[in-house]
Amino acid sequence: MKSPNEIQGVQPTKQTLMQSQMQLIKIAILAMGGEGGGVLADWIVNLAEAHGYFAQTTSVPGVAQRTGATVYYVELFPGADNPETAVPVLALMPTAGDVDIVLASELMEAGRAVQRGLVTPDRTTLITSTHRVFSMKEKSAMGDGRVDSNVLIQQCRQAARHFVHFDMASVAEKSGSVISAVLFGALCGIGILPFNRTQFEETIIKGGVGIKPSLTAFGLGLGRVQSEDGIAASTSAFHTPNTDGDIQENTPDPHHGHSDRGLSHDGPTDQHEVKSLLQHIQQQMPPYLHDIAQKGIRRLIDYQDPAYARLYLERLQALIGRAGKPDHNHSRSKKLLCETARHLALWMAYEDTIRVADLKIRASRFERISRDVAAGSDQLIEIKEFLHPRIEEICDTLPVSVARWLSDSHFVKRILEKWLSRGHVITTSSIGGYLLLYTLASWRRMRRHTLRFQQETERIEKWLQRIGTTAAHEPALALEIVHCQRLIKGYGDTYTRGMNNFQTLMQIIDRHLPHLSPTSLRLLREAALADEHGDQLRACQRHLSLY
């Protein structure tokens, strides 16, 4: 980039170049769709131009990545109010190692900035929100693909000269605004730009859109930065959740972001039956299982009905009789039963098309979407679902006899596959779309007669049998068998890949049970979770000579 002296045809001295470089302010903004990254960039440009600076902003949109992550780049140069100052040539893209301020709307975006070299310890001030929006890689991982927020924060702290971080999403929600206004306040609070608070606020007012909530969010962001919490926020709240003793999915799931773990919404639940289930837990099960078992029946009543929850307790009670007797390995038996109770509830509440339809029409989902898009009470929201079911998923939802007939190769199957291959868009917020999904969700009354239910029942019973048999002589190996359930999740291709890997591990267990060590099975399971295509699992099998 040329300096003003070069533009005028004057050969610049070394001192002139250094002064010019110091006056130039370079800012990179990393934001996702709907977070106001473009508005924030415009605010900075308007602020600078109103007070004697040349300013320029450019943007590079992301492609199919985290709802459209975009990098906005802003350069500011003084002298616009001086007629003798030549117009500078400003850069269009940030350069690694040459950025003064980085603003990130989410913690992973801050990590991306560090990875790209935009943040340097000798120069860059990094301002970021610490909330997380999980990336597609994290969501689609076979195992727990979440990146530890503590690691991200530590890396950002080491990479930046000055690091400001706090949960800006909660601040924005509290003020009824978006993260861009909180970031603007934080930018004002650090005092790097040569503008005061009044000038920042005047820029928001001149923008003319959402003035009151934006000013509120701006003030809250500025206040957090000026407090000790904003400058050196504690990271204790960012530990990756420990799932031991709790019933939750192994990876973040878009349908379960806000829990609907209450009793069945499909109609009034038999309270007497629920009370009977709770009494069974209190009277028949050891105290250390009470909390997990109660969560399990709550989940399964919501998923199906009280009778299904009773089946869960019966299966768990049968295992207690084989593995729960006090002995010198009582601590191992205790952990084995707790983990089995948790994973059994997860498996019994497997995701089929009925479950997916059920979750998509829940009132809590509509409320969450309204909050996410910051819709007003007088605004209408249109929700569209893109459905691309496979013939296997259709068969899984049908009664056993019909499903087996359809799965045979004949013209009906070919016609249906051709129709399904196009994909279909359903507007859930419309009457027709909602009724279609409601009808599918209501089919859960017939779930016990479906092909998928029969298959899952057989697999669960064999899995429990392996656990019970192994627990009698090797509790540690039985626990590893329990954890193999982590491979089974989701629906569609995700479920198919996980189930194929699970079946491979079960075959290895059946063939090598007398000689299989817990460590070997754990290595195999971790290899299966690390690679959705099964390449690492096959490599691990070759290494351990287990086929």
Side-chain angles (χ1 to χ4, degrees):
M1 183 182 64
K2 296 181 179 180
S3 70
N5 287 332
E6 287 179 305
I7 295 172
Q8 292 176 328
V10 179
Q11 183 65 32
T13 65
K14 182 176 181 181
Q15 181 179 6
T16 303
L17 286 173
M18 291 177 62
Q19 291 175 345
S20 175
Q21 183 67 20
M22 290 176 64
Q23 291 173 334
L24 186 63
I25 302 173
K26 303 179 179 182
I27 305 171
I29 303 169
L30 289 81
M32 293 181 291
E35 293 181 335
V39 173
L40 177 57
D42 290 340
W43 276 343
I44 296 173
V45 169
N46 294 338
L47 171 64
E49 290 180 338
H51 298 90
Y53 273 73
F54 296 101
Q56 175 178 281
T57 178
T58 58
S59 63
V60 179
V63 180
Q65 148 181 184
R66 294 164 57 75
T67 66
T70 301
V71 177
Y72 302 87
Y73 183 57
V74 180
E75 283 198 350
L76 312 178
F77 191 83
D81 53 354
N82 185 353
E84 296 182 359
T85 303
V87 178
V89 178
L90 302 179
L92 300 177
M93 286 285 294
T95 303
D98 191 26
V99 179
D100 300 299
I101 305 170
V102 172
L103 303 167
S105 65
E106 187 262 355
L107 189 56
M108 182 64 82
E109 292 302 317
R112 291 179 188 274
V114 171
Q115 186 179 40
R116 294 177 61 173
L118 301 181
V119 182
T120 52
D122 62 329
R123 178 174 181 174
T124 309
T125 294
L126 174 59
I127 305 173
T128 182
S129 175
T130 53
H131 80 285
R132 287 300 324 280
V133 177
F134 294 114
S135 66
M136 291 306 299
K137 185 176 181 179
E138 290 175 289
K139 292 179 180 180
S140 61
M142 294 295 294
D144 188 347
R146 293 171 294 182
V147 175
D148 190 341
S149 295
N150 282 329
V151 174
L152 288 174
I153 289 175
Q154 184 63 28
Q155 293 296 323
C156 290
R157 179 180 288 112
Q158 294 175 357
R161 179 182 182 183
H162 187 199
F163 183 37
V164 177
H165 59 291
F166 59 93
D167 187 351
M168 299 183 188
S170 62
V171 174
E173 184 177 357
K174 180 180 179 180
S175 61
S177 184
V178 291
I179 288 179
S180 58
V182 185
L183 282 167
F184 199 49
L187 179 62
C188 177
I190 61 176
I192 292 181
L193 296 185
F195 313 112
N196 59 42
R197 176 173 181 170
T198 301
Q199 293 168 334
F200 272 83
E201 292 177 333
E202 287 175 349
T203 302
I204 295 176
I205 294 172
K206 290 179 181 178
V209 179
I211 297 174
K212 185 176 180 180
S214 294
L215 287 175
T216 301
F218 171 87
L220 292 173
L222 186 148
R224 284 296 300 271
V225 169
Q226 292 179 339
S227 69
E228 291 183 359
D229 292 338
I231 301 300
S234 170
T235 62
S236 61
F238 303 105
H239 290 294
T240 300
N242 185 348
T243 58
D244 288 346
D246 195 10
I247 296 176
Q248 52 185 297
E249 284 70 29
N250 296 311
T251 55
D253 183 86
H255 301 307
H256 295 130
H258 292 263
S259 178
D260 291 302
R261 305 264 195 256
L263 297 181
S264 173
H265 71 289
D266 209 34
T269 301
D270 187 343
Q271 297 300 323
H272 176 74
E273 181 69 15
V274 174
K275 185 177 180 179
S276 174
L277 293 173
L278 294 174
Q279 288 178 345
H280 178 90
I281 293 173
Q282 295 293 328
Q283 297 172 4
Q284 303 296 326
M285 293 189 174
Y288 58 80
L289 278 178
H290 289 179
D291 183 58
I292 299 177
Q294 288 172 6
K295 290 180 180 178
I297 65 169
R298 186 178 182 85
R299 184 187 189 92
L300 295 173
I301 290 173
D302 176 62
Y303 179 82
Q304 186 64 33
D305 52 34
Y308 196 51
R310 183 169 292 280
L311 175 61
Y312 165 75
L313 294 182
E314 291 173 355
R315 287 169 167 170
L316 194 56
Q317 192 69 53
L319 186 62
I320 292 174
R322 304 182 66 177
K325 297 178 181 179
D327 55 20
H328 65 284
N329 285 326
H330 181 60
S331 60
R332 288 188 176 182
S333 298
K334 178 179 176 180
K335 185 174 183 179
L336 173 63
L337 291 172
C338 287
E339 288 298 284
T340 303
R342 183 167 69 90
H343 285 279
L344 178 60
L346 288 173
W347 194 345
M348 290 181 66
Y350 60 87
E351 287 196 358
D352 54 8
T353 54
I354 301 171
R355 179 64 166 175
V356 173
D358 179 23
L359 294 173
K360 286 184 179 295
I361 62 173
R362 296 204 172 185
S364 58
R365 180 174 185 251
F366 287 88
E367 294 169 0
R368 173 171 55 83
I369 292 174
S370 296
R371 289 195 304 268
D372 289 346
V373 300
S377 58
D378 58 341
Q379 291 180 302
L380 297 177
I381 301 175
E382 189 174 78
I383 304 173
K384 293 183 179 292
E385 319 282 356
F386 180 75
L387 303 181
H388 195 184
R390 304 176 307 164
I391 188 66
E392 292 83 2
E393 293 163 1
I394 300 298
C395 291
D396 286 345
T397 312
L398 297 174
V400 176
S401 58
V402 179
R404 288 177 174 166
W405 170 79
L406 183 59
S407 63
D408 293 336
S409 181
H410 51 69
F411 73 97
V412 176
K413 179 182 177 181
R414 290 194 295 272
I415 293 174
L416 187 58
E417 285 178 329
K418 184 177 180 179
W419 180 74
L420 292 173
S421 64
R422 297 179 297 176
H424 300 275
V425 176
I426 297 177
T427 305
T428 314
S429 51
S430 70
I431 295 177
Y434 183 89
L435 288 177
L436 179 61
L437 292 178
Y438 178 82
T439 301
L440 180 56
S442 300
W443 185 247
R444 75 182 196 168
R445 297 186 181 90
M446 300 297 293
R447 181 183 268 132
R448 289 183 175 85
H449 303 286
T450 64
L451 178 63
R452 176 76 180 274
F453 186 89
Q454 183 186 78
Q455 292 174 338
E456 296 296 348
T457 298
E458 293 176 357
R459 291 164 182 159
I460 290 173
E461 293 294 346
K462 291 180 179 178
W463 174 68
L464 290 172
Q465 184 178 1
R466 292 184 182 98
I467 295 171
T469 301
T470 309
H473 61 86
E474 185 58 84
L477 180 58
L479 182 61
E480 296 300 330
I481 297 175
V482 170
H483 287 159
C484 288
Q485 190 276 333
R486 293 178 57 199
L487 292 164
I488 304 172
K489 64 187 67 177
Y491 56 95
D493 292 336
T494 300
Y495 168 81
T496 301
R497 289 191 293 264
M499 180 54 71
N500 289 338
N501 288 340
F502 175 84
Q503 297 286 37
T504 298
L505 294 187
M506 294 303 103
Q507 292 172 5
I508 292 173
I509 292 169
D510 293 340
R511 293 170 185 168
H512 304 279
L513 184 58
H515 311 290
L516 184 64
S517 69
T519 301
S520 296
L521 183 56
R522 183 174 66 254
L523 291 174
L524 289 167
R525 187 185 70 250
E526 291 174 351
L529 289 169
D531 173 28
E532 64 180 17
H533 300 294
D535 295 335
Q536 293 194 35
L537 175 57
R538 287 187 288 272
C540 189
Q541 283 183 262
R542 290 193 297 270
H543 176 71
L544 298 174
S545 299
L546 294 172
Y547 296 97

